[in-house]
Structure formats: structure tokens, C-alpha cells
Amino acid sequence: MDEIKFPRIFAIDIDNLETEKRDHDHIWGDEAWLVNDRKLNIGCKFLTIFPGFTSSKHKHLTKSEYFIVLAGELKLREWNPGGHHHEVVLEQGRRYFIPKNIYHRFETGSKQFVLLLEVSTFEDEQTEKELKSERLY
């Protein structure tokens, strides 16, 4: 029996994906939601992050996040409840989990876009809007 060969590179045309919602109004980049379902408690979206961007230090009250880097490199810093932080560099193919209520921030390099797949618990937009006022820069 012949061995099945899987392609090593997939071309993703995000503009032609069937999505629930798109948001291009972020200072940091764009997001394309594939699903955000309260009943199933699941969210999934593509994030395109602009070169040279550093996010605010933030947390999510109800959402845990699992990031998979599809293209580029992302520096991620997270703070434990005691205030100590650690930093990890996520290259293409790496993945990382951030539980709810953990402060974190991410940063891209100055010359490259980053494409992430985020799989998460349901994101309650009202809760997240209320939390934005608490963001630490």
C-alpha cells in the first residue's frame, strides 16, 4: 500500500471562508470568527496580527484560549496570579494555552504578519467590552 503524503503547506484564503463575523476595526489586525457558540461553549477564529504590534496587558473573565501559530512568530508574555511573568516565543506550528483570568500580552516582530488559529471557550462580547476598561498597557 502506498504511503499517503500530506501537503506541508496549506493556502488559506481567509476572505473566502464562511464565517459568522468579521472584525477589521482592530488597531492590531483582523479577526474572522468561524464559530462562537454559547450553548456548545466553543469559539474558533483566525487572527491576523500586523507587524510590530504589541497588545495591551489583558485577561478574559470567561474565556480560555488555545493559540496555534499558522504563520510568523509571536512573543507571548503571561502573568501568574502572584504577578510574576514569563515569556515564550511561539514559532510557526507551536501552540499555547491561556486559562481564563490570566493576564497576558503578545507582540509580533517588526517585519512580519502573524496568522493564528484561536480555539477557545465561548466569548461573551458584553463581558469582554466591560473588561476593556480594566486593561493595563
Side-chain angles (χ1 to χ4, degrees):
M1 186 170 175
D2 293 333
E3 182 179 334
I4 297 173
K5 301 265 186 199
F6 290 97
R8 295 185 65 87
I9 298 175
F10 290 91
I12 301 170
D13 185 355
I14 293 175
D15 289 331
N16 287 321
L17 281 175
E18 182 180 336
T19 60
E20 288 188 0
K21 177 183 161 190
R22 292 180 183 267
D23 195 345
H24 303 289
D25 294 332
H26 297 297
I27 191 170
W28 51 262
D30 298 329
E31 62 183 357
W33 279 96
L34 302 175
V35 65
N36 191 33
D37 190 299
R38 180 184 301 274
K39 189 180 281 187
L40 296 175
N41 194 29
I42 189 168
C44 184
K45 63 184 171 181
F46 284 106
L47 300 169
T48 304
I49 304 170
F50 297 141
F53 177 78
T54 301
S55 74
S56 62
K57 179 181 174 183
H58 66 282
K59 68 178 179 177
H60 305 281
L61 294 177
T62 60
K63 181 176 86 161
S64 295
E65 301 170 301
Y66 187 80
F67 293 113
I68 303 164
V69 180
L70 301 176
E73 183 177 284
L74 185 72
K75 188 186 305 181
L76 180 72
R77 181 178 291 181
E78 72 175 357
W79 285 259
N80 67 24
H84 300 287
H85 73 272
H86 77 276
E87 191 171 279
V88 62
V89 175
L90 303 174
E91 299 169 338
Q92 183 176 351
R94 299 260 329 260
R95 55 189 190 237
Y96 198 82
F97 177 73
I98 301 174
K100 66 182 180 180
N101 282 315
I102 296 295
Y103 278 104
H104 58 283
R105 86 171 353 136
F106 52 85
E107 178 181 334
T108 61
S110 61
K111 297 183 180 177
Q112 64 181 197
F113 283 85
V114 174
L115 177 61
L116 298 174
L117 178 65
E118 177 191 306
V119 180
S120 67
T121 52
F122 173 74
E123 181 175 314
D124 183 337
E125 291 185 30
Q126 185 60 41
T127 301
E128 295 305 320
K129 283 180 185 174
E130 292 168 4
L131 185 60
K132 281 184 180 178
S133 64
E134 289 184 24
R135 289 193 171 180
L136 308 171
Y137 289 89

